[in-house]
């Protein structure tokens, strides 16, 4: 396609989470007309906090949302893993000046709603994006001329192409791949607590992981240190199905019996919890079918152990935009280049996340082996171990043969 003599493609983005609005922003900045369909009645994010590595900031800067995110984020001093059984330090390294110099960007934590708002601020400045809420997609079909979407209530939408950003339970994924989710059996409870309720000895400016047998806890500050994000995870003894519901403190306490009283204090702090029964999918070698491609959790859903779910979705969005530009708006070629640039990397993250979950939840002798693995490692050693993940940027995002 030659841009000078052909109209620019129109695109439907299914889903307005972080990945969806980032994809809409990346494509609209190239001049494409984008319609975003979101099932919720209002645009926003559920959940609590998330962590942003340097790769996420590289993506946000490429989208023009980096400064808005930086204004809302808490920049952490270090990353810490503690042994929840005996309160010993398993690993701790600074993410300050040396880290920023190495990776050209910081490490930070932020409320999910705040990063979503920062990206949405950029989206609202662009007239060629239409945002449609209360739009639950029921079916997707494509033909030689475009893609048709039927939503609840009989509403229909049509565009030249569709980007499926509709999460783990993706209608677009069902249309393209048709595989099932892998219910992990790991249950995640999330809550936010006021700083005044946080035990003083645990008010650290760091994401702190308390690794226990078949369970772990994470806490870090949000919103200028006014709140703390609290996440607890355990291996369920029940047969789980993917979903989100209200949590129960008694259930949490029943799984955290083998840990020290210091981290156990955290379990009594929230006045309410939200409960996620988590799932991912096995990586696939293709997530494009004709005029449809996938992005974020629809393409490569993952568990939380590397704090990279949102980061990967942001990378996807930037890479998709770069591929469209590189291919001069030939969308078929762009979709192919986009997924060739992303599949191996995101699969490595999905599989690494599973292994990190095993390390977090090590018990018995395996716990002792885990603790020995990281003993005495320098900050520089940690940095290089993470270079494959954090060295990503918008300049190197496309496959080398592009």
């Amino acid at each position: 396609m030659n841009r000078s003599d052909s109209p620019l493609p129109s695109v439907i983005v299914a889903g307005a989470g972080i990945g969806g609005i980032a994809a809409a922003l990346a494509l609209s900045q190239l001049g494409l007309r984008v319609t975003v369909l979101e099932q919720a009645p209002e645009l926003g994010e559920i959940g609590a906090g998330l962590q942003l590595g340097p790769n996420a900031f590289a993506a946000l800067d490429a989208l023009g949302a980096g400064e808005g995110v930086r204004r809302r984020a808490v920049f952490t001093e270090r990353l810490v893993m503690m042994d929840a059984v005996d309160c010993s330090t398993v690993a701790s390294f600074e993410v300050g000046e040396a880290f920023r110099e190495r990776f050209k960007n910081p490490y930070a934590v932020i409320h999910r709603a705040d990063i979503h708002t920062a990206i949405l601020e950029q989206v609202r400045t662009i007239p060629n994006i239409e945002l449609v809420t209360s739009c639950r997609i029921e079916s997707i079909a494509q033909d030689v001329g475009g893609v048709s979407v039927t939503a609840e209530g009989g509403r229909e939408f049509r565009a030249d192409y569709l980007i499926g950003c509709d999460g783990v339970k993706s209608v677009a994924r069902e249309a393209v791949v048709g595989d099932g989710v892998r219910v992990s059996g790991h249950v995640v409870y999330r809550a936010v607590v006021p700083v005044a309720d946080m035990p003083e000895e645990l008010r650290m400016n760091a994401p702190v992981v308390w690794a226990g047998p078949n369970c772990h806890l994470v806490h870090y500050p949000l919103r200028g240190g006014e709140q703390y994000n609290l996440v607890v995870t355990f291996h369920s003894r029940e047969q789980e199905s993917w979903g989100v519901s209200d949590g129960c403190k008694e259930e949490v306490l029943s799984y955290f019996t083998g840990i020290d009283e210091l981290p156990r204090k955290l379990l009594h702090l929230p006045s309410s919890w939200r409960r996620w029964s988590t799932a991912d999918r096995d990586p696939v070698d293709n997530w494009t079918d004709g005029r449809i491609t996938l992005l974020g959790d629809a393409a490569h859903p993952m568990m939380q152990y590397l704090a990279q779910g949102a980061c990967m979705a942001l990378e996807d969005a930037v890479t998709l935009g770069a591929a469209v530009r590189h291919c001069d708006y030939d969308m078929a070629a762009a979709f192919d280049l986009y997924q060739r640039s992303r599949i191996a990397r995101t699969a490595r993250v999905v599989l690494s996340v599973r292994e990190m979950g095993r390390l977090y939840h090590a018990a018995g002798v395996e716990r002792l082996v885990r603790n020995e693995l990281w003993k005495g490692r320098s900050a520089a050693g940690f940095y290089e171990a993470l270079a494959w993940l954090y060295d990503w940027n918008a300049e190197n995002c496309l496959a080398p043969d592009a």
Side-chain angles (χ1 to χ4, degrees), residues 1-11 27-34 128 159-161 324 328-331:
M1 175 185 292
N2 187 311
R3 183 177 176 181
S4 63
D5 57 20
S6 301
L8 294 182
S10 59
V11 176
L27 295 175
S28 65
Q29 288 172 338
L30 298 174
L32 277 65
R33 291 186 294 108
V34 181
N128 48 310
D160 297 319
Y161 298 91
V324 172
D328 195 23
Y329 298 80
D330 179 339
M331 297 297 282

Side-chain angles (χ1 to χ4, degrees), residues 100-399:
R100 296 183 189 206
E101 183 176 341
R102 170 62 184 82
F103 294 114
K104 313 305 180 190
N105 265 309
Y107 199 97
V109 291
I110 191 169
H111 199 288
R112 294 187 71 93
D114 291 343
I115 186 174
H116 193 271
T117 296
I119 302 171
L120 195 58
E121 285 176 349
Q122 297 299 310
V123 166
R124 294 192 188 281
T125 68
I126 300 178
N128 48 310
I129 299 179
E130 180 185 7
L131 302 170
V132 182
T133 56
S134 299
C135 185
R136 183 181 295 275
I137 295 174
E138 293 186 336
S139 64
I140 297 169
Q142 61 177 311
D143 52 47
V144 294
V147 181
S148 299
V149 174
T150 301
E152 195 173 58
R155 285 191 292 173
E156 296 188 354
F157 301 86
R158 182 145 177 105
D160 297 319
Y161 298 91
L162 182 139
I163 317 299
C165 309
D166 48 341
V168 178
K169 288 187 173 181
S170 169
V171 178
R173 173 98 178 204
E174 181 62 28
V176 172
V177 183
D179 58 343
V181 298
R182 187 191 74 101
V183 178
S184 69
H186 296 196
V187 171
V188 178
Y189 269 61
R190 293 185 173 96
V192 174
V193 298
V195 64
D197 295 342
M198 194 73 174
E200 192 165 346
E201 63 270 32
L202 296 177
R203 295 181 193 177
M204 293 176 254
N205 184 18
V208 180
V209 176
W210 293 87
N214 297 318
C215 65
H216 79 277
L217 305 88
V218 179
H219 56 84
Y220 51 80
L222 294 174
R223 293 179 165 166
E226 296 177 0
Q227 300 173 333
Y228 270 79
N229 190 55
L230 178 59
V231 183
V232 301
T233 304
F234 55 84
H235 295 189
S236 177
R237 63 177 72 95
E238 306 298 333
Q239 182 66 43
E240 295 287 335
S241 57
W242 186 89
V244 184
S245 60
D246 290 330
C248 167
K249 183 172 78 171
E250 287 69 29
E251 181 185 31
V252 174
L253 292 173
S254 75
Y255 283 95
F256 286 79
T257 56
I259 68 172
D260 188 85
E261 279 305 307
L262 179 58
R264 191 174 168 83
K265 286 182 182 180
L266 295 166
L267 304 177
H268 298 276
L269 300 182
S271 57
S272 63
W273 294 93
R274 290 290 281 167
R275 183 189 196 273
W276 276 257
S277 177
T278 63
D280 65 5
R281 295 181 194 260
D282 291 326
V284 294
D285 60 6
N286 176 70
W287 60 54
T288 296
D289 178 25
R291 294 173 175 269
I292 303 170
T293 197
L294 307 176
L295 186 148
D297 281 349
H300 43 72
M302 61 189 66
M303 294 183 289
Q304 77 280 13
Y305 295 106
L306 276 177
Q308 280 290 312
C311 302
M312 287 296 110
L314 292 167
E315 286 187 12
D316 286 350
V318 171
T319 305
L320 177 60
V324 172
R325 185 188 301 108
H326 181 85
C327 295
D328 195 23
Y329 298 80
D330 179 339
M331 297 297 282
F335 283 2
D336 178 66
L337 175 56
Y338 156 68
Q339 71 169 25
R340 283 193 291 112
S341 302
R342 297 300 297 160
I343 281 176
R345 175 170 171 81
T346 55
R348 182 177 180 180
V349 176
V350 170
L351 299 176
S352 297
V353 165
R354 292 179 184 177
E355 286 305 305
M356 187 59 72
R358 179 178 175 180
L359 289 173
Y360 276 18
H361 293 175
V365 174
E366 192 171 55
R367 164 181 162 256
L368 302 178
V369 173
R370 176 201 63 206
N371 292 359
E372 288 291 325
L373 283 175
W374 288 326
K375 185 177 293 184
R377 183 177 292 190
S378 66
F382 277 111
Y383 298 168
E384 292 315 305
L386 291 167
W388 71 273
L389 185 59
Y390 292 158
D391 273 343
W392 181 96
N393 59 56
E395 287 69 46
N396 67 22
C397 69
L398 293 178

